[in-house]
């Protein structure tokens, strides 16, 4: 098959639980970012980068 047993098992289990939708590509990005920078600060940093380069 060209993939590890662990990977194949993961896909089989997804198919059993969800069906065809379980085989769709999924993002590897986490759903939750507990240590993410506060949005207000991100906006300020972006503004400073644009003006001060």
């Amino acid at each position: 098959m060209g993939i590890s047993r662990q990977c194949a098992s993961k896909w089989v289990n997804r198919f059993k639980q969800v069906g065809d939708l379980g085989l769709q590509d999924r993002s590897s990005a986490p759903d939750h970012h507990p240590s993410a920078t506060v949005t207000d600060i991100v906006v300020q940093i972006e503004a400073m980068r644009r003006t001060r380069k």
Side-chain angles (χ1 to χ4, degrees):
M1 243 188 186
I3 60 172
S4 68
R5 285 183 179 187
Q6 182 181 13
C7 184
S9 175
K10 184 189 307 183
W11 282 80
V12 169
N13 289 334
R14 282 186 193 165
F15 181 75
K16 287 179 181 177
Q17 291 175 355
V18 186
D20 288 339
L21 291 177
L23 301 179
Q24 298 294 320
D25 286 340
R26 300 186 331 177
S27 173
S28 61
D31 293 328
H32 184 64
H33 303 276
S35 61
T37 306
V38 181
T39 305
D40 295 341
I41 294 175
V42 172
V43 170
Q44 290 176 357
I45 292 170
E46 289 174 349
M48 290 173 72
R49 284 184 173 175
R50 287 187 188 98
T51 58
R52 298 180 185 193
K53 297 188 179 185

